[in-house]
Amino acid sequence: MAAKYSAVVEKTLDHMANMRAGKFDLSWMNANPDGWGTKVKASPVGITLDNLNSVSPYGDIPEYGSSIGSMAPRGCEIPPETPSLGIYDINEKGLVWADNVAKLYDEAVARQWSSTRDIPWDRLEELPEEMEKAICQVCTGLTEVEFIAADLPAKWLWRINHDFHEVKLFLASQVMDEARHLDVFRKRALANGGGLMQASPGSENLLRAIIEAPNYTVASSLMHILAEGFVLTLFRHGEFIAPSVVEKKIFRLCMQDEARHVAYGTMHLKYFLKTYPERAEEIHSILAMGEQAIFALNTEPQSIEPRAILAGGGVDNMHEGLLKTSYLYTKQITEYLQRLKVAGLDRTERISIPIELPVD
Amino acid sequence: MHEFPSEEWFVELQHAMDAEVDKYRRLGSIEMTLYLKMNFDDGHDEVYKIVFDGYRCAEVKRVEKPELGPGKEAAVLEGDYQTFKDMVTDIIKNGGAGLEQTLNYLTLPDVPLRVWSEGGEAQMDVDRFSRFNESLQQFFDAGASVKTKFRA
């Protein structure tokens, strides 16, 4: 007669029978003696990842992630029969790490906000149609580009070895940040009598380069440092030209998130280049390509014209608006080059696009 | 009545932050030191050090000069006294910074105020100004409730 249950179920039922008879295993209670007795001290803001990482063995971050290839948490005892999932292929610390990543994750969690609750939507003001169209076009463009910064970390996150959970946690927080950005810009476009305007072919070219980047660090350099660095300045400019306190608040909250992502990308590239200095040329060449894509995007009508309208105060004053915003591009380039210098990559002489926008 | 600028005036902002722990906890922790460097018409300058740590302002002090560089997590907000005075006047008048008197508005083009730092990771410290901008804005907006007299 065939067994009623599978072997796995039968084994479990046997185990339960033992427990009913008072025979418990309890071997797990003797596991991981080196990790027992840990008492992490909380900082004034609570227990942070850095607090956890200040104690051994839990804070001992390996240069090469566990070859077990399971989801077992770093620092626990791993029974020999634990199966490998065989899915993690980013196993070297130098490929993902940044010395500020733990701190940035805690910062990200502490600084989450809600596009529903934290924006004073009741204070939106009716705008002249051309101004409303301009702000809606800005929001359309930002809605389009924001989610690449969620798709990209999501594409790589699941491949990263669990021993580098700090990086995985930070990237997860970034996915949430970007979701909120898409959400808040879409809300703004639809909340004040306007609507979504025109998508940007230029954006799609840059986004394709980012999403198709051949490895994580190349992708991170393109997105965290180049693209998000540029967008950080655009958020700051969004706050600058905001027609009401509503847009002011949106852009201030978004800029905080974006600056965190840039901070991770910069320090990751620094760690990467310290570990693999011979790979600097790989980063140079992808950035040269990315610079050209972002230059084309920056000067596309859907991108530059609505900002000129908002800065000038209307279509009739667009040229004045353009002159008023010309410093922005130079600022983007200057800060981008400075961040690369922090990371140990000097592109001052190698930058592939103009360092000033010819608007005069 | 507290004179602007003075250590006492900024201590009032510190007390205001301490009194609203829940608000700042919701905004998120801040890890940075901001130096305000005000340049006066007569050629002298004054530097005020404001240390943010977690959800609170840990220290306010008038100092000789900013201490910048690796590990300091510090940036300088510099400009003419008149610009700072206009900003605080606007905050008092409106109960918070108006559209053209926010910290970001005044600093983005690097005029009339400028954010800067020094050392090999200076840009990272300048970027802290963006990372904590909403908290910093709310910190300064609390100046609306400080009884203020401006220096002549």
Side-chain angles (χ1 to χ4, degrees):
Chain A
M1 184 177 146
K4 186 176 179 184
Y5 297 112
S6 69
V8 172
V9 174
E10 289 292 351
K11 186 179 175 186
T12 305
L13 288 172
D14 287 348
H15 181 57
M16 289 184 72
N18 283 337
M19 286 197 288
R20 281 198 303 276
K23 296 175 190 168
F24 296 96
D25 179 89
L26 295 179
S27 60
W28 57 270
M29 290 193 78
N30 298 317
N32 198 21
D34 291 344
W36 185 247
T38 305
K39 205 167 186 178
V40 170
K41 194 175 171 191
S43 73
V45 295
I47 294 183
T48 65
L49 286 186
D50 275 341
N51 294 150
L52 295 185
N53 287 349
S54 68
V55 298
S56 188
Y58 301 101
D60 302 338
I61 300 157
E63 291 303 315
Y64 197 90
S66 165
S67 58
I68 298 290
S70 72
M71 292 187 183
R74 190 180 73 219
C76 78
E77 181 179 301
I78 304 175
E81 69 272 23
T82 305
S84 169
L85 300 177
I87 56 173
Y88 303 121
D89 59 0
I90 303 177
N91 294 309
E92 291 167 55
K93 185 181 179 187
L95 297 177
V96 294
W97 192 254
D99 284 339
N100 58 356
V101 69
K103 196 179 280 286
L104 287 171
Y105 168 70
D106 278 311
E107 187 179 309
V109 172
R111 300 189 84 79
Q112 293 295 299
W113 50 278
S114 161
S115 68
T116 303
R117 181 194 60 210
D118 296 325
I119 306 300
W121 294 110
D122 59 332
R123 296 180 69 186
L124 272 170
E125 294 172 9
E126 190 175 343
L127 300 173
E129 187 172 287
E130 62 192 31
M131 297 291 277
E132 182 63 28
K133 282 186 172 173
I135 194 78
C136 284
Q137 178 60 46
V138 168
C139 288
T140 303
L142 290 173
T143 305
E144 185 173 10
V145 301
E146 276 304 312
F147 219 67
I148 183 65
D151 287 343
L152 190 281
K155 173 183 172 179
W156 294 98
L157 190 157
W158 67 272
R159 293 172 57 180
I160 297 172
N161 191 294
H162 269 243
D163 276 356
F164 310 122
H165 62 256
E166 292 87 348
V167 177
K168 294 170 84 85
L169 297 179
F170 175 75
L171 292 178
S173 78
Q174 182 179 356
V175 172
M176 188 59 228
D177 292 344
E178 307 299 353
R180 191 171 50 245
H181 294 180
L182 178 151
D183 170 38
V184 78
F185 290 120
R186 189 175 178 86
K187 280 179 178 165
R188 172 56 190 88
L190 303 184
N192 204 32
L196 289 171
M197 302 294 284
Q198 194 173 62
S200 156
S203 287
E204 297 297 328
N205 289 331
L206 176 64
L207 304 185
R208 178 198 297 276
I210 294 173
I211 204 72
E212 292 182 349
N215 62 57
Y216 176 72
T217 300
V218 161
S220 168
S221 301
L222 271 179
M223 190 186 69
H224 290 122
I225 304 181
L226 177 64
E228 294 202 88
F230 273 56
V231 171
L232 171 58
T233 311
L234 291 184
F235 283 168
R236 292 196 64 194
H237 187 240
E239 203 266 5
F240 187 86
I241 57 179
S244 80
V245 293
V246 176
E247 294 85 3
K248 283 264 176 199
K249 185 87 167 183
I250 289 171
F251 282 110
R252 274 209 300 273
L253 291 173
C254 285
M255 88 169 73
Q256 297 190 141
D257 299 338
E258 210 75 355
R260 276 196 305 276
H261 310 157
V262 174
Y264 164 73
T266 305
M267 296 309 277
H268 166 53
L269 183 60
K270 182 177 183 175
Y271 197 92
F272 175 84
L273 291 173
K274 197 172 70 176
T275 314
Y276 310 102
E278 72 282 3
R279 293 182 65 180
E281 282 307 313
E282 189 183 337
I283 307 299
H284 272 300
S285 62
I286 198 77
L287 288 177
M289 184 275 295
E291 287 160 3
Q292 291 163 52
I294 212 161
F295 183 69
L297 164 61
N298 247 352
T299 50
E300 206 175 41
Q302 297 97 315
S303 175
I304 198 168
E305 289 181 0
R307 290 181 180 277
I309 291 171
L310 289 165
V315 173
D316 290 343
N317 297 322
M318 273 180 75
H319 188 67
E320 187 187 332
L322 203 57
L323 292 173
K324 274 187 183 173
T325 56
S326 62
Y327 70 89
L328 261 191
Y329 175 76
T330 307
K331 192 175 185 76
Q332 286 172 317
I333 294 288
T334 306
E335 293 187 343
Y336 161 67
L337 292 173
Q338 286 301 322
R339 290 184 190 111
L340 288 177
K341 269 191 185 167
V342 171
L345 197 77
D346 191 348
R347 281 191 60 70
T348 313
E349 302 298 323
R350 298 177 63 167
I351 188 159
S352 63
I353 53 177
I355 56 169
E356 287 183 356
L357 213 52
V359 293
D360 284 330
Chain B
M1 196 71 85
H2 301 276
E3 183 177 83
F4 180 87
S6 66
E7 197 171 287
E8 291 71 28
W9 194 89
F10 289 108
V11 166
E12 287 300 305
L13 299 191
Q14 181 184 30
H15 290 162
M17 188 172 183
D18 284 346
E20 293 193 278
V21 172
D22 286 346
K23 181 175 93 173
Y24 285 96
R25 189 182 294 274
R26 188 181 178 92
L27 286 170
S29 54
I30 322 174
E31 305 297 335
M32 90 171 289
T33 296
L34 186 65
Y35 290 94
L36 270 65
K37 185 167 184 283
M38 297 185 208
N39 302 318
F40 289 79
D41 284 345
D42 64 4
H44 91 282
D45 61 54
E46 293 179 16
V47 180
Y48 295 89
K49 177 185 183 184
I50 306 173
V51 181
F52 297 98
D53 184 13
Y55 307 119
R56 44 189 298 273
C57 174
E59 184 185 4
V60 167
K61 191 178 180 183
R62 185 172 170 185
V63 295
E64 281 299 307
K65 61 177 186 176
E67 287 181 41
L68 307 168
K72 300 289 185 190
E73 301 182 341
V76 182
L77 175 62
E78 179 174 2
D80 293 340
Y81 163 65
Q82 187 61 45
T83 302
F84 282 101
K85 180 184 175 185
D86 291 346
M87 180 182 85
V88 173
T89 301
D90 185 74
I91 285 170
I92 292 168
K93 182 181 162 195
N94 298 314
L99 297 186
E100 297 187 356
Q101 289 292 336
T102 63
L103 293 170
N104 179 68
Y105 186 96
L106 294 169
T107 55
L108 177 66
D110 293 329
V111 286
L113 298 181
R114 186 169 73 98
V115 182
W116 58 275
S117 192
E118 286 176 353
E121 295 186 358
Q123 186 61 47
M124 299 291 286
D125 290 327
V126 168
D127 287 345
R128 286 175 189 275
F129 189 73
S130 297
R131 262 165 69 186
F132 306 118
N133 194 269
E134 178 66 11
S135 303
L136 297 175
Q137 187 62 59
Q138 301 235 1
F139 178 80
F140 282 96
D141 281 355
S145 53
V146 178
K147 291 192 185 312
T148 303
K149 63 175 177 185
F150 291 100
R151 202 175 295 175

